[in-house]
Amino acid sequence: MRIVVLVSGTGSNLQAVIDAVKAGGLDVEIAAVGADRPGTYGVERSAAAGIPTFVVDFKSYADRASWNAALTSAVEGYTPDVVVSSGFMRIVSPAFIEAFDGKYLNTHPALLPAFPGAHGVRDAMAYGVKVTGCTVHWADAGVDTGPIIAQEAVVIAPEDTEDTLHERIKIVERRLLVATLAALAAGQPNAGHPN
């Protein structure tokens, strides 16, 4: 199974996928890693691992539609079976979703449908819930919507800050993403949970 991974930041989820592939525990080919801005550590990680990279810099385009068209074209050039949004902080267009219909996987640091958007961890803490977690789902044209593949809960400790909670969620998120990709590679589209 060929995947293209999209990142906007450090690429810690991506690193978990790279490590699982190298260890032989994940039967996927990372065809490329793309970013929405230059200088991301996720792209640096990928280049260091010998994975092709590309940047479709959002700021280099006159409007969102032009950027989305360029991103779609760049990703299509690698003919992925699955596109993984892994900390990719840009909302893609319905045309992008349509181009990769049923193949665009997203991770989110909350138990969707609760707390969608860019601040899922902060929003969960502000609301006062005692349990949050992470979700892996097929992305559609909404914000953090689409069919859920796998979720795992994380208890919010009384001493948690947004940063400490997010770090604990990321540990679970990495494991859940790798398990989901392994299940998809094995032809089990709804068997993403590691347990």
Side-chain angles (χ1 to χ4, degrees):
M1 182 174 83
R2 287 172 59 84
I3 66 172
V4 169
V5 182
L6 301 177
V7 298
S8 290
T10 62
S12 58
N13 282 348
L14 166 64
Q15 188 63 57
V17 173
I18 292 170
D19 292 347
V21 169
K22 282 187 178 179
L26 181 56
D27 188 21
V28 302
E29 174 192 353
I30 305 171
V33 172
D36 60 336
R37 58 191 176 90
T40 64
Y41 188 52
V43 167
E44 291 176 23
R45 285 179 194 261
S46 305
I51 298 167
T53 64
F54 63 93
V55 175
V56 182
D57 186 0
F58 186 79
K59 293 180 180 178
S60 296
Y61 292 86
D63 55 36
R64 183 173 288 277
S66 300
W67 174 80
N68 268 288
L71 179 68
T72 302
S73 178
V75 173
E76 283 177 332
Y78 291 98
T79 60
D81 298 305
V82 174
V83 180
V84 180
S85 171
S86 180
F88 191 60
M89 300 306 289
R90 298 276 178 199
I91 296 172
V92 296
S93 70
F96 182 94
I97 296 293
E98 187 177 307
F100 304 104
D101 188 31
K103 299 195 295 186
Y104 188 43
L105 194 70
N106 186 45
T107 62
H108 184 73
L111 295 173
L112 294 175
F115 311 113
H119 304 289
V121 177
R122 179 186 313 161
D123 293 346
M125 290 187 80
Y127 197 81
V129 296
K130 302 302 180 197
V131 176
T132 187
C134 62
T135 302
V136 179
H137 67 101
W138 292 116
D140 61 16
V143 176
D144 294 320
T145 57
I148 293 170
I149 300 170
Q151 292 183 305
E152 191 166 330
V154 174
V155 174
I156 300 175
E159 67 275 8
D160 266 328
T161 65
E162 182 181 347
D163 289 340
T164 61
L165 177 58
H166 202 175
E167 286 305 311
R168 290 192 303 109
I169 290 171
K170 284 180 183 179
I171 292 167
V172 174
E173 193 174 40
R174 291 177 198 126
R175 183 176 69 243
L176 202 59
L177 176 59
V178 169
T180 299
L181 289 171
L184 291 170
Q188 304 164 13
N190 295 314
H193 200 280
N195 296 332

